[in-house]
Amino acid sequence: FGCRDMIGETKEIDSLLMEIDSQLTERTNVYLIGGGAMMYNALKAYTKDLDMVTTSLKEYEAIRDALFRIGFESTKPTPEYCRFNLSNILQRENGNRIDLFYRTVCNKLKLSDEMVERATLRFEGKHLSLHSCSPSDIIVFKSITDRDGDIQDCISLIRSGDTEWKVVLGEILNQVNDGEGVWITWVEDKMRKIHEESQIRIPILKELTKLSDEFIAKWEQEMIDKLPEDER
C-alpha cells in the first residue's frame, strides 16, 4: 500500500498480496468482495479498505496471522457495521484497512459455494490465491450494508451491464432457503432506494417485495400467536 488512506490501483492490492504470500507456508485461498473487487472489474477508482472472505477457518487464521506479522493490528468495529458479524478488522499505521471474514460476511449472509464458483482468479502467488466475487454477488453483499457509497456502487455495478439478475435473485433465494430471513427486508429496501435514486429498472424488485412482505407477515403472525388469547 501507499502512505495514503485510499487504495487507488489494483497494483497496490497486488503488492499487499505479495506481502501476505511471503508469510504463508500452505496453499491459501481468499475471496474479495466490495470496492476492491470492483476495482479489478474497472468499476471503481479507489477503495478505503479491502473486504476479504475465506471459506475455511484454517485459511482465515493463516491470513490473519500473516497480516499481524506484516504490521496489521486488530481494531474495533465501527458503527456502520452494526449488522455485521465481523471476524476481524485489521489496520496498519498508514490507515489502510482490511476487513477479514470467515465464511459469514454478516449475521445472515454467507459466501456460498455458488459465489465461490462464480469468482475470478486475480492473483496467484507461491501460496496465496485471491479471487474477486462476481458483480452480481457484490450487489448481493452491498445490498445489506449501511456503508457510505454502497448505493452508488450498486448503481455503477448495474449500469456496467454485468449484472445477472437471475443470479442475484437465485442467490437471495438460496440464502433464504438456508434459513436466512430478516435481511431480505434490507435487500428489498436497498433495491427500492437504488431504483428511486437512479430510475434504473430493477427486474427482480417485484419478487424481492413479495419475499419481504411474506417475511414481515410471518413475523407479525408469530408475534400475534405469542399474545394471550384475550389480547389478540
Side-chain angles (χ1 to χ4, degrees):
F1 285 178
C3 294
R4 60 190 186 280
D5 290 343
M6 296 294 180
I7 304 163
E9 296 179 293
T10 55
K11 68 180 182 181
E12 293 181 56
I13 303 175
D14 293 342
S15 178
L16 169 65
L17 297 174
M18 287 187 282
E19 285 189 74
I20 299 172
D21 185 57
S22 70
Q23 301 296 320
L24 298 172
T25 58
E26 296 183 17
R27 173 54 56 188
T28 305
N29 287 278
V30 67
Y31 296 83
L32 191 63
I33 62 176
M38 290 179 67
M39 287 179 66
Y40 278 108
N41 285 297
L43 294 175
K44 196 174 179 74
Y46 60 86
T47 185
K48 64 181 180 180
D49 52 36
L50 298 176
D51 301 305
M52 296 182 176
V53 191
T54 68
T55 60
S56 77
L57 182 58
K58 182 178 180 181
E59 289 172 313
Y60 162 76
E61 291 175 341
I63 292 176
R64 179 201 60 195
D65 293 346
L67 289 169
F68 286 153
R69 287 193 290 272
I70 60 175
F72 281 82
E73 296 180 353
S74 291
T75 64
K76 294 181 179 180
T78 50
E80 68 263 30
Y81 285 87
C82 61
R83 290 176 178 171
F84 277 63
N85 179 23
L86 283 179
S87 294
N88 223 319
I89 296 178
L90 302 109
Q91 194 162 355
R92 280 205 281 204
E93 288 185 359
N94 62 7
N96 293 137
R97 193 175 79 183
I98 293 176
D99 301 340
L100 183 63
F101 306 84
Y102 161 50
R103 197 73 183 192
T104 301
V105 178
C106 83
N107 287 330
K108 299 296 180 183
L109 188 63
K110 296 180 176 65
L111 181 73
S112 68
D113 292 341
E114 291 78 11
M115 287 179 172
V116 168
E117 290 176 4
R118 287 189 289 266
T120 300
L121 178 65
R122 299 295 187 179
F123 172 91
E124 189 163 24
K126 183 177 180 181
H127 301 292
L128 179 67
S129 295
L130 177 130
H131 315 256
S132 67
C133 285
S134 75
S136 299
D137 292 323
I138 296 171
I139 286 178
V140 175
F141 284 122
K142 283 186 170 290
S143 67
I144 59 169
T145 64
D146 285 328
R147 302 171 77 181
D148 292 340
D150 278 338
I151 287 180
Q152 288 304 314
D153 283 347
C154 286
I155 290 172
S156 296
L157 286 159
I158 295 167
R159 284 181 172 161
S160 74
D162 294 327
T163 302
E164 298 180 64
W165 290 109
K166 185 176 181 180
V167 168
V168 175
L169 182 60
E171 185 59 46
I172 291 169
L173 291 173
N174 286 340
Q175 298 278 345
V176 171
N177 290 336
D178 283 342
E180 312 305 343
V182 67
W183 65 269
I184 190 64
T185 62
W186 307 339
V187 174
E188 193 272 344
D189 180 65
K190 181 64 69 65
M191 290 297 177
R192 188 170 298 282
K193 288 178 179 177
I194 290 169
H195 170 68
E196 291 172 354
E197 289 194 18
S198 67
Q199 297 305 305
I200 292 174
R201 178 175 173 269
I202 308 295
I204 63 171
L205 185 56
K206 184 176 180 180
E207 289 91 339
L208 292 176
T209 299
K210 180 176 181 289
L211 288 169
S212 179
D213 289 347
E214 287 175 352
F215 175 84
I216 293 171
K218 181 181 178 182
W219 178 82
E220 288 177 342
Q221 187 58 53
E222 289 174 351
M223 294 300 101
I224 292 172
D225 291 343
K226 291 179 181 179
L227 293 172
E229 289 190 10
D230 61 348
E231 295 182 17
R232 295 180 186 177

